[in-house]
Amino acid sequence: MLRYPAVLRASSVLVAAMVATAGCASDTPDPQSTTSATLTKPPILVGFLNPSGGPVPQPGTDTGVKAALSYINGEFGGINGHPLEVVSCDTDTTPERAQSCANTFVEKKVVAVMDGYNLSSSAALPALTAAQIPLVGMIPFDSVTGSKAENRVFFAAPQASFLIGALQAFKAAGKTSVTLALVDTPSSHQTIDGLLPVLAKTLGINAKGIYFSPTNPNFTAVASSIAQDKPDVGGLVASPSEAVCSALVKGLRQLQFKGEIFTAACTDYIKSSPEQAAGGALYSSNWLPAAAKYAPADAQAELTLAQKYISAVSGGTAGYYAYGEFALFVNLAKALSTAPEADLTGAGVLKTLKALKDFPSFLGPKITCGSATSPNCTTQMLLFVVQPDGTAKPVTDTWITPVPQVLAAIPGAV
């Protein structure tokens, strides 16, 4: 089990990259808006870069969107009487698809575009910026998107927070060698080839990155590549699906890997075999159901609320991305409910979000947006260790903040 001394309050956790294929939005807003009959004002239309298909999908994101819209347009009461509606555009990992989606959103006159943890979201930025339509998300999985603050706001931490914090945490626990796998995409190479070696040298840890195919992964081979060097920690920088985590953990256990297994944000594999999962580590940008009994009262109430709506989505996929996307849309609705009618435009939405200070984010920490250099509203994260009963216990009693001096060397991190 990972164990962390009390001085590690300034530490964090790990992330990087992934995402999906199909056609762009239809001529009408997505029916997942579930508009309440009591919402009589004109709808507020937002775009959604939907990564639910393609070779590297995040299938939980559309579940989170549908659940959030049901809550926002029902129990929450809309945005000051306006229903929230979504134009969904399926993406894959190509810039061409992101550009096509952006053009669709401009045509539909959306007031914001919601990012579903896309790897190529930066390709949408030129068209959106020209039309004064902000890009809004949780974690910018495209490191180019995360490198500047212009016309974008991300409620959770940047990629660098996860990676720096995880390496800090491993070293503080006496673990000096790390081998981590990531799906082979252009954004992944930005992380593995560019960021990881610099951070490893800065932090004094031996860190190695390896890749697996987005279309035909062989996790027996990936597990063997991780285990052969006998690192102190082996696992994933980030995972495109729960199936990836399950396959890699199974492969490492079969090889009797003795090091710490890091599973990014995956949690489903814990349910099938909590004893095998025990002692493993995972990160999150928000509180998760597996950690509910350790969460503060307000987070417990929000988890109950999110779980209620996510579980009601027919055929939906729950998990990290479902809860993250639910939080994203609820944060947007809460923020825009404070804005005057005149600011329910692209420029007005950006102004409202950039002005957030000490804002109680849903399932997350208090955030302050509007940095001149970073699109992210926080650098704080949570790191958990899996317990024998299958729950995920945070390693500290508060939100973890990566060392600012290291973050400052990464464009867009602070």
Side-chain angles (χ1 to χ4, degrees):
M1 178 183 292
L2 283 172
R3 296 192 183 277
Y4 300 83
V7 295
L8 203 58
R9 293 291 192 271
S11 208
S12 177
V13 267
L14 171 311
V15 176
M18 355 330 120
V19 146
T21 185
C24 265
S26 62
D27 290 335
T28 57
D30 194 311
Q32 61 189 15
S33 57
T34 57
T35 304
S36 168
T38 61
L39 303 180
T40 58
K41 293 182 179 179
I44 295 172
L45 200 62
V46 298
F48 172 43
L49 289 170
N50 187 346
S52 296
V56 192
Q58 314 291 20
T61 55
D62 59 348
T63 300
V65 172
K66 292 174 184 177
L69 289 172
S70 180
Y71 165 65
I72 291 165
N73 292 331
E75 186 177 342
F76 187 74
I79 299 171
N80 292 332
H82 294 274
L84 184 64
E85 294 185 359
V86 167
V87 175
S88 181
C89 188
D90 293 340
T91 67
D92 54 22
T93 56
T94 65
E96 291 78 13
R97 177 64 68 185
Q99 290 170 347
S100 177
C101 288
N103 292 333
T104 297
F105 298 145
V106 172
E107 290 175 11
K108 299 296 181 183
K109 294 180 169 57
V110 302
V111 301
V113 171
M114 314 300 278
D115 180 31
Y117 303 93
N118 280 273
L119 286 176
S120 56
S121 60
S122 60
L125 284 168
L128 298 181
T129 302
Q132 293 188 297
I133 299 170
L135 179 66
V136 185
M138 290 297 283
I139 303 165
F141 270 17
D142 183 333
S143 59
V144 175
T145 298
S147 65
K148 294 182 180 179
E150 181 188 10
N151 201 55
R152 66 209 84 163
V153 174
F154 284 79
F155 293 122
Q159 289 185 32
S161 282
F162 296 97
L163 194 52
I164 292 168
L167 295 180
Q168 289 175 186
F170 296 143
K171 184 179 179 182
K175 302 177 188 300
T176 59
S177 58
V178 179
T179 301
L180 301 171
L182 193 56
V183 63
D184 194 351
T185 68
S187 288
S188 298
H189 282 267
Q190 295 168 9
T191 300
I192 293 294
D193 302 341
L195 184 59
L196 185 60
V198 174
L199 295 181
K201 182 177 180 180
T202 302
L203 298 169
I205 192 169
N206 180 16
K208 177 182 177 181
I210 61 174
Y211 298 101
F212 58 87
S213 168
T215 56
N216 189 31
N218 181 338
F219 290 107
T220 299
V222 173
S224 180
S225 295
I226 290 173
Q228 68 182 359
D229 294 332
K230 299 181 180 179
D232 296 327
V233 180
L236 296 160
V237 173
S239 174
S241 72
E242 291 282 353
V244 166
C245 286
S246 298
L248 185 57
V249 170
K250 181 179 178 181
L252 288 171
R253 293 299 189 199
Q254 286 176 341
L255 292 170
Q256 298 184 332
F257 176 65
K258 301 300 183 184
E260 188 74 40
I261 296 180
F262 193 95
T263 57
C266 295
T267 56
D268 281 3
Y269 77 98
I270 301 171
K271 301 173 188 174
S272 60
S273 184
E275 289 187 2
Q276 276 202 333
L282 60 136
Y283 68 75
S284 180
S285 58
N286 47 260
W287 285 98
L288 296 172
K293 78 176 189 178
Y294 307 105
D298 56 346
Q300 288 183 1
E302 290 174 344
L303 280 169
T304 299
L305 175 68
Q307 211 161 8
K308 168 186 170 183
Y309 283 92
I310 288 172
S311 64
V313 176
S314 178
T317 301
Y320 179 84
Y321 297 111
Y323 283 84
E325 211 68 13
F326 188 95
L328 170 63
F329 273 74
V330 173
N331 284 335
L332 179 76
K334 287 170 62 179
L336 295 189
S337 293
T338 67
E341 289 283 324
D343 281 344
L344 296 178
T345 64
V349 168
L350 183 63
K351 173 185 170 184
T352 297
L353 298 184
K354 291 283 191 183
L356 294 176
K357 292 183 179 180
D358 291 325
F359 177 78
S361 66
F362 191 87
L363 292 178
K366 286 187 177 181
I367 60 176
T368 295
C369 307
S371 166
T373 57
S374 174
N376 298 85
C377 300
T378 183
T379 62
Q380 292 182 303
M381 307 300 295
L382 291 168
L383 183 64
F384 301 98
V385 171
V386 180
Q387 305 300 299
D389 64 356
T391 60
K393 185 177 181 179
V395 300
T396 62
D397 57 8
T398 187
W399 289 88
I400 303 169
T401 304
V403 174
Q405 293 88 335
V406 181
L407 277 177
I410 312 300
V414 291

